[in-house]
Structure formats: C-alpha cells, structure tokens
Amino acid sequence: MQYMNNQELKELFTKEDLHITKAVAILLKQAALYTKRIHVLQDSQQLADCENERAKYIYKAIEVATIEKQQHCRLIEDKKRYLDAMNDKYGDVDFINDLKDLKKLVLIYRLENLDEQQQAHHSPEYMA
C-alpha cells in the first residue's frame, strides 16, 4: 500500500470535506500505533509489515469518513439512532438480513472493540 503522510491526509480530508469523527479517530489512532512501532523496529520485514498495517488503517479511516459523509451519519456517535432505525426496520437487530445494514453494524461493533483495546493499551498485533 502507498504511504500517506499526515500533511497529505490533512489535505485529502480538507479537499473532500471529510470530518474526523470518533470512528475515524479510532482508525487513525491505530495507524499511529503502527507508526510508533515503525520507529523502533530494525528488521526490514517487520518494518514493511507495519507500514502495510499503518496504510491499511489510514485508508480504512478515509473510507469510513467517506461513508459517514455520504450517509450523513456518524457511526459511533449516532449508533443509537442507527440501532433504533434497524429495530424499526427489522423488529430486532438480530433479524437484519440486508448485507449493507449488517456490514455497517459489524463495522460499528468492530470500531468500538478496537477503541476498547486501544484504551486498554493492547499491542497493535493483539488488536489486528
């Protein structure tokens, strides 16, 4: 994956009018954890692996910011509203049968889990 530095990321967010919501911040924090790891590694294979993971989380942050912009909905902050809508639509979130709705729900829970692991100071490898 292509390396994107902080300045390029800021320019992209400004150009595309993307916002750093809690979901995006979680993903960017995960990328930052890999950046810290990169600074202490000596093994070239480990460096490459960390760079790839860092890039993966940055691009996922961009993807999530784009989704939130398109849907006018923040994944974490508006979770209750989303769950209420899914309960109204399906009767219960356990009965979601639309893949798009299910993917969004899984993404919300995955981001919340990642946030909890970051707050518990787990290593990035544990969180992957």
Side-chain angles (χ1 to χ4, degrees):
M1 291 187 169
Q2 183 180 353
Y3 179 83
M4 182 180 287
N5 65 34
N6 286 341
Q7 185 60 35
E8 292 169 324
L9 189 59
K10 285 178 187 177
E11 289 171 5
L12 176 69
F13 268 69
T14 301
K15 176 184 170 198
E16 298 296 325
D17 192 31
L18 301 174
H19 301 282
I20 298 181
T21 62
K22 184 167 173 98
V24 174
I26 291 167
L27 293 165
L28 292 175
K29 183 177 181 181
Q30 192 67 16
L33 291 172
Y34 280 103
T35 300
K36 288 180 185 178
R37 177 69 48 92
I38 288 166
H39 293 299
V40 298
L41 290 175
Q42 302 298 320
D43 182 292
S44 63
Q45 181 57 47
Q46 288 178 326
L47 281 170
D49 291 345
C50 281
E51 279 292 344
N52 286 336
E53 287 298 308
R54 178 189 177 280
K56 178 179 87 173
Y57 282 103
I58 286 175
Y59 287 109
K60 188 67 176 176
I62 294 166
E63 177 186 337
V64 167
T66 303
I67 289 169
E68 290 179 328
K69 177 183 174 184
Q70 291 170 345
Q71 297 181 356
H72 305 287
C73 178
R74 300 168 300 172
L75 293 176
I76 303 296
E77 295 91 333
D78 298 332
K79 174 186 168 189
K80 182 176 177 357
R81 188 176 72 177
Y82 174 71
L83 290 176
D84 289 345
M86 290 303 99
N87 279 324
D88 290 346
K89 184 175 180 180
Y90 296 103
D92 191 319
V93 292
D94 291 341
F95 299 110
I96 293 176
N97 59 13
D98 180 89
L99 187 58
K100 185 178 176 182
D101 290 336
L102 188 58
K103 283 182 177 183
K104 189 173 177 182
L105 183 64
V106 168
L107 178 59
I108 290 168
Y109 286 130
R110 172 70 178 115
L111 289 168
E112 288 180 331
N113 182 263
L114 190 57
D115 184 40
E116 289 171 11
Q117 291 176 355
Q118 288 171 350
Q119 290 179 26
H121 302 289
H122 291 275
S123 69
E125 291 80 10
Y126 176 81
M127 294 183 237

